[in-house]
Amino acid sequence: MPLLYTIGKLTVAPALRLAFRPTVEGLEHIPDTGGAIFAGNHLSVADELFLGTVVPRHLAFWAKSEYFKGTGPKGALSKHVLTGLGAIPVERAGGRAALSAFDAAIPVLKAGDLVAVYPEGTRSPDGRLYRGRTGAVRLAVAAGVPVIPVGMTGTDKAQPIGTRVPRPGRAKITIRFGKPLDFTGRSDDRTSLREMTDEVMAEIQKLTGQEYVPRYAPPRAHSATPGDAPA
């Protein structure tokens, strides 16, 4: 586990647990060893904080590449923090540039680490669950690891879009982990990737009870956060 991540587990994580007292269900579905992808719904920028707080192992989040390319003291600090946390840069523009995130994530997963991805690609603008993008299952098939569905509720109330930090007392936060989905041997053609992604989103919906919207979430200016999936 990276040093900075370890420091966060010893400081930030206990503070969040004490302040918010999140309810956690399904921890038995998290493997003690071996690679896996956590695929969750995305309500708030706080999702990453709470997911990292309750998962006992290191989680590598996908983070947009701009966070690694900033200039000046702020840019240097951002790059230092994300690198120290073990984040994986991803090009949000998509296409061949986005493949660098897969190239970086596959050896991480094959080495036995965990990667967190948000298939919706952006935070939900209205609390509903939107159609998932296929990047998470494409990565799972390529790396030969399972996908663990994650359902969060309450984070959008604790830290609504536009606020800087989560605030205690606004909502009860619940984090549920589903049974791992094994896609070993499944084809990686477009039709199969779509079917597998829909399976993942269906499991997430069962965990959250959100209304499902069978279309992609509308893009929001500056809405990308760590873990957002490319196409």
Side-chain angles (χ1 to χ4, degrees):
M1 187 178 293
L3 177 59
L4 191 57
Y5 198 95
T6 300
I7 292 173
K9 294 289 285 185
L10 296 175
T11 56
V12 177
L16 287 174
R17 284 184 177 275
L18 180 63
F20 292 90
R21 300 188 181 279
T23 297
V24 185
E25 301 174 7
L27 279 175
E28 68 274 12
H29 297 313
I30 299 176
D32 293 330
T33 60
I37 295 170
F38 286 79
N41 63 318
H42 203 8
L43 296 172
S44 167
V45 70
D47 294 339
E48 293 88 355
L49 287 174
F50 287 103
L51 187 59
T53 292
V54 303
V55 173
R57 297 172 55 192
H58 173 247
L59 269 174
F61 287 94
W62 274 349
K64 64 178 183 178
S65 60
E66 287 89 340
Y67 291 143
F68 294 84
K69 300 176 181 178
T71 58
K74 184 177 180 180
L77 178 62
S78 175
K79 180 179 180 180
H80 174 74
V81 169
L82 288 173
T83 301
L85 292 173
I88 299 171
V90 57
E91 294 287 348
R92 293 287 301 171
R96 294 195 61 82
L99 294 178
S100 62
F102 290 92
D103 293 339
I106 289 173
V108 169
L109 290 163
K110 288 187 174 181
D113 210 344
L114 307 174
V115 172
V117 179
Y118 294 102
E120 289 171 279
T122 187
R123 285 166 286 170
S124 172
D126 52 19
R128 296 185 293 176
L129 182 68
Y130 283 80
R131 190 185 200 207
R133 299 182 182 276
T134 60
V137 296
R138 186 186 301 130
L139 180 60
V141 171
V145 299
V147 175
I148 299 175
V150 183
M152 287 197 181
T153 58
T155 53
D156 54 333
K157 303 295 190 302
Q159 187 177 358
I161 293 175
T163 58
R164 291 184 177 275
V165 295
R167 299 176 184 177
R170 291 194 167 193
K172 177 62 179 177
I173 293 175
T174 300
I175 306 159
R176 297 185 177 96
F177 298 95
K179 294 180 180 179
L181 301 174
D182 185 1
F183 296 122
T184 302
R186 298 279 289 268
S187 172
D188 62 354
D189 64 82
R190 182 177 299 182
T191 300
S192 295
L193 291 173
R194 181 73 264 158
E195 291 175 350
M196 289 184 282
T197 299
D198 290 343
E199 290 176 34
V200 172
M201 301 311 291
E203 292 302 314
I204 294 173
Q205 196 276 334
K206 291 177 184 178
L207 297 172
T208 66
Q210 291 170 277
E211 177 185 349
Y212 181 71
V213 182
R215 64 176 185 272
Y216 296 125
R220 292 171 51 87
H222 309 298
S223 65
T225 57
D228 290 354

